């Protein structure tokens, strides 16, 4: 489907490209440790949304199932690592959540588990073209929503005119991983991965542009002038 002299030359390095993309994806998930460290420092998870952690578990499970259907080793081990990190972060979040706030956490977990179980059961029906197509469509939407999570802070970023709240290391890792996964998708001729990563590149570009438009130092600089 996707055939160019460049791709033909990179075919022999396909798995290495997938491994590099996987490492950057894992590095992106490692950024969650900074959130967990801040939760530990404050002694509570209050004010932090668990959606990235709980949602990451569900997404990783579905991506693992899809990767096994594709028989793509790089995608399989990446999904295993991201699932492990997501589970660890979720447990960490639960530990530091006060009893009064655990009800909302349990409801979110139940909702994500229900959706994940339903989609997994559908995917378990087989490897037919219809199943793969629909599962690929759903995963594309979920993955793009996950990548766009930092943009949920867009209103506060514009109001404060500072990108200090955005996780720059995670966004840079996500951008690098997106480029490599796009190349990997072209090499294995998977339309869903290609389309997903092209759109993801746009989202990453928007997020990176916020660091140029609203530098993190702007806010602190303004405060110093006021003093």
């Amino acid at each position: 489907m996707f055939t160019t002299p460049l791709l033909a030359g990179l075919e022999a390095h396909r798995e290495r490209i997938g491994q590099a993309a996987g490492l950057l994806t894992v590095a992106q998930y490692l950024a969650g440790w900074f959130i967990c460290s801040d939760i530990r420092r404050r002694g509570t998870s209050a004010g932090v949304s668990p959606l990235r952690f709980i949602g990451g578990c569900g997404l990783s499970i579905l991506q693992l199932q899809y990767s096994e259907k594709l028989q793509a080793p790089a995608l399989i081990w990446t999904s295993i690592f991201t699932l492990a990190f997501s589970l660890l972060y979720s447990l960490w979040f639960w530990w530091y959540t006060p009893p009064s706030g655990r009800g909302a956490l349990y409801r979110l977990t139940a909702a994500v588990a229900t959706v994940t179980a339903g989609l997994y059961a559908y995917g378990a029906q087989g490897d037919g073209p219809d199943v793969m197509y629909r599962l690929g469509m759903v995963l594309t939407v979920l993955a793009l929503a996950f990548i766009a999570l930092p943009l949920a802070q867009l209103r506060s970023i514009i109001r404060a005119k500072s990108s200090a709240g955005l996780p720059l290391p995670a966004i840079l890792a996500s951008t690098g991983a997106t480029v490599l996964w796009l190349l990997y998708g072209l090499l294995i001729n998977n339309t869903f991965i290609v389309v997903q990563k092209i759109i993801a590149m746009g989202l990453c570009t928007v997020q990176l542009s916020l660091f140029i438009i609203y530098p993190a130092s702007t806010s602190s600089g303004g405060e110093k002038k006021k003093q």
Side-chain angles (χ1 to χ4, degrees):
M1 189 189 307
F2 305 107
T3 305
T4 66
L6 175 60
L7 292 178
L10 291 173
E11 177 62 31
H13 307 287
R14 182 177 66 185
E15 290 309 314
R16 289 193 182 93
I17 291 171
Q19 290 168 2
L23 285 173
L24 283 176
T25 302
V26 171
Q28 175 190 354
Y29 272 76
L30 282 174
W33 170 248
F34 294 105
I35 300 175
C36 291
S37 180
D38 181 62
I39 290 174
R40 182 185 62 82
R41 181 181 57 80
R42 294 188 296 109
T44 177
S45 64
V48 179
S49 172
L51 181 58
R52 171 175 290 276
F53 303 148
I54 305 298
C57 291
L59 179 60
S60 296
I61 290 171
L62 294 174
Q63 286 181 327
L64 178 58
Q65 182 192 44
Y66 188 70
S67 301
E68 289 175 338
K69 290 177 179 293
L70 293 177
Q71 297 182 345
L75 287 169
I76 291 172
W77 73 258
T78 299
S79 299
I80 292 173
F81 273 101
T82 57
L83 176 58
F85 279 117
S86 295
L87 286 171
L88 175 63
Y89 295 151
S90 297
L91 289 173
W92 187 281
F93 189 95
W94 171 82
W95 182 262
Y96 283 97
T97 299
S100 60
R102 288 185 178 177
L105 177 61
Y106 293 148
R107 286 193 293 273
L108 175 62
T109 302
V112 171
T114 300
V115 173
T116 302
L119 291 172
Y120 193 93
Y122 177 78
Q125 293 182 12
D127 301 338
D130 289 341
V131 173
M132 293 296 289
Y133 176 82
R134 290 165 185 161
L135 192 60
M137 283 290 290
V138 170
L139 278 174
T140 296
V141 172
L142 293 178
L144 291 175
F146 189 79
I147 292 172
L149 273 178
L151 291 178
Q153 306 175 49
L154 186 59
R155 182 177 297 179
S156 60
I157 290 170
I158 294 175
R159 187 184 300 117
K161 298 187 183 303
S162 173
S163 59
L166 288 176
L168 179 58
I171 293 173
L172 287 174
S174 177
T175 303
T178 297
V179 173
L180 291 176
W181 282 129
L182 172 59
L183 186 56
Y184 186 78
L186 289 169
L187 289 171
I188 65 173
N189 289 317
N190 188 284
T191 304
F192 287 112
I193 294 177
V194 172
V195 172
Q196 178 187 126
K197 299 312 174 185
I198 288 175
I199 299 174
M201 275 298 299
L203 292 172
C204 290
T205 301
V206 170
Q207 294 177 69
L208 289 174
S209 68
L210 291 174
F211 288 95
I212 300 174
I213 300 171
Y214 302 113
S217 60
T218 300
S219 178
S220 58
E223 290 176 0
K224 288 180 180 178
K225 287 181 180 179
K226 288 180 182 178
Q227 293 174 355

